[in-house]
Amino acid sequence: MARVLSCIQPTGGVHLGNLLGALQPWVDVQSADSFHGIVDLHALTVPQDPAELREATLELVRILLAIGLDPDFCTLFVQSHVSEHAELAWLMQCTAGYGELGRMTQFKDKSAKSESFSAALFTYPALMAADILLYDADQVPVGEDQRQHLELTRDLAIRFNSRYGEDTFVVPEPVIGTVAARVMDLQNPTNKMSKSADGDNGLIFVLDDLKRVEKKLKRAVTDNEATVRFAPDTQPGVANLLSILSVATGEGPDKLAERYDQYGQLKVDTAEAVVAMLEPIQTRYRELEADPGYVRDVLDAGAEKARAVASVTLARAKENIGLLPRA
Ligand code: AMP
Ligand code: TRP
């Protein structure tokens, strides 16, 4: 069985795009040999409010548990609980070239947008490589935007292995955006649903009041064509509603389109399906919120399971690179 590793940053305000595009797929691929990390160290590459970061981390953990990630089965952990990540990241920084890191398009984009940024924004891909290599991961599901970081991880693993020992790291395969839904903004359906949108009328947050969810969907922007077809290029708003309805009901979007001739009914049904999907998640979320001890225990156990694997890989890498083992 392939070992899968998936990670997400705790940025707070988890929306329908995050849920359907990133988190639900974790639940679908989970196994006794899958590792799922909330990478809080990555979030620190840009300034964070400490209380908000802590809450965003817990929010993600609760949402993942609420949607069915089973911590007795797979391994769910917080990156900063497993100090091996930061330690292997150093070895990865020593393996990566300055020029190589400078070619990362995410770094180029983000650094161009701000006047000052942390050194960690630059070295971030070395930490990401460490996240992956620590677990001997075979497969790493990521979005298209992370492809270059995955390629770099492979290059670093191959380079380290050829310098210091072929047995050090498993060279991972990216699993890029397979069938994960791409959810668009309800007000600007040619843009991805994203926290960076102006205003939140186009976004549905997993924890939104359900009345608001209904309102936002009923006010979704469509078009003047007055025909329901699944045509993302020419009718992006309608296609977005159909894809959301499709994920919520399990029926294909083209098939669903045949059933409607009015936008109004499509919106009503999509709203109803999304509310029905979110309601049990929110209920379970509130229960978990009321039981912080349980969530702590899950994370403690997850950190132990993660560390059991990560510490072996780190020890191997340290020994192979020539660091003196403790007596
Ligand atoms: P972000 O919130 O942009 O950091 O994204 C976190 C994760 O959610 C990444 O795996 C993204 O690919 C996924 N994601 C973010 N926005 C969307 C969206 N609108 N549709 C599908 N997936 C998304
Ligand atoms: N860089 C990824 C993102 O921004 C998050 C991430 C960190 C990650 N470490 C990882 C993803 C390891 C997969 C594997 O989305």
Side-chain angles (χ1 to χ4, degrees):
M1 189 164 56
R3 176 171 291 172
V4 176
L5 170 89
S6 61
C7 294
I8 190 166
Q9 296 194 38
T11 43
V14 176
H15 55 70
L16 205 58
N18 301 136
L19 179 69
L20 303 179
L23 303 178
Q24 187 58 46
W26 290 19
V27 176
D28 301 338
V29 303
Q30 68 178 318
S31 75
D33 205 20
S34 68
F35 291 78
H36 307 278
I38 300 189
V39 288
D40 51 351
L41 297 175
H42 276 88
L44 296 178
T45 54
V46 294
Q48 298 283 344
D49 175 86
E52 281 173 19
L53 177 60
R54 266 190 294 274
E55 187 47 34
T57 304
L58 283 170
E59 179 185 312
L60 259 181
V61 174
R62 294 186 203 113
I63 289 178
L64 282 164
L65 296 174
I67 65 175
L69 200 73
D70 180 355
D72 292 329
F73 185 41
C74 66
T75 302
L76 171 64
F77 67 97
V78 171
Q79 184 186 33
S80 65
H81 293 177
V82 183
S83 55
E84 282 80 357
H85 286 256
E87 207 175 337
L88 186 64
W90 180 256
L91 301 193
M92 290 297 116
Q93 286 182 57
C94 296
T95 307
Y98 182 81
E100 198 169 43
L101 291 175
R103 282 193 294 278
M104 295 294 117
T105 55
Q106 186 171 44
F107 170 71
K108 289 198 278 189
D109 290 348
K110 289 196 176 173
S111 58
K113 277 190 207 139
S114 58
E115 293 213 331
S116 81
F117 46 86
S118 67
L121 194 69
F122 181 69
T123 57
Y124 162 122
L127 178 59
M128 178 161 165
D131 298 339
I132 296 169
L133 300 178
L134 275 176
Y135 296 96
D136 291 336
D138 301 301
Q139 295 183 353
V140 185
V142 287
E144 183 59 43
D145 64 324
Q146 297 297 315
R147 182 192 289 276
Q148 199 186 23
H149 292 157
L150 243 297
E151 288 302 326
L152 177 73
T153 301
R154 289 172 55 83
D155 290 346
L156 297 180
I158 291 167
R159 188 176 308 151
F160 195 105
N161 284 353
S162 75
R163 283 186 189 161
Y164 307 116
E166 291 298 336
D167 68 326
T168 320
F169 297 125
V170 170
V171 181
E173 294 290 339
V175 182
I176 310 262
T178 41
V179 283
R182 188 154 184 258
V183 182
M184 310 307 281
D185 187 286
L186 299 173
Q187 292 299 320
N188 299 295
T190 48
N191 295 343
K192 253 183 30 165
M193 185 176 284
S194 159
K195 280 183 274 281
S196 53
D198 312 328
D200 69 4
N201 286 335
L203 277 79
I204 291 184
F205 294 103
V206 174
L207 300 176
D208 256 348
D209 178 78
L210 294 174
K211 284 267 172 292
R212 258 178 85 67
V213 170
E214 198 180 321
K215 261 196 200 131
K216 286 177 181 177
L217 279 160
K218 288 189 178 161
R219 289 183 189 156
V221 164
T222 49
D223 53 55
N224 298 320
E225 303 214 8
T227 160
V228 179
R229 266 179 319 207
F230 183 65
D233 290 338
T234 53
Q235 294 184 261
V238 172
N240 190 34
L241 290 171
L242 286 167
S243 337
I244 295 171
L245 183 59
S246 165
V247 180
T249 60
E251 264 193 82
D254 288 302
K255 256 230 113 35
L256 286 168
E258 288 169 15
R259 223 175 283 156
Y260 294 94
D261 45 29
Q262 296 207 336
Y263 295 164
Q265 193 58 44
L266 172 63
K267 289 182 185 179
V268 168
D269 288 0
T270 306
E272 195 178 300
V274 172
V275 166
M277 177 174 77
L278 294 182
E279 198 165 26
I281 297 175
Q282 292 191 357
T283 304
R284 182 74 188 120
Y285 185 95
R286 303 290 168 219
E287 288 166 8
L288 290 161
E289 215 173 17
D291 195 354
Y294 170 75
V295 174
R296 281 269 150 219
D297 288 348
V298 163
L299 292 180
D300 270 354
E304 286 312 313
K305 280 203 278 178
R307 171 166 282 156
V309 176
S311 62
V312 174
T313 314
L314 177 66
R316 192 164 67 228
K318 285 170 76 173
E319 173 149 12
N320 288 0
I321 204 173
L323 296 173
L324 186 67
R326 273 179 60 177

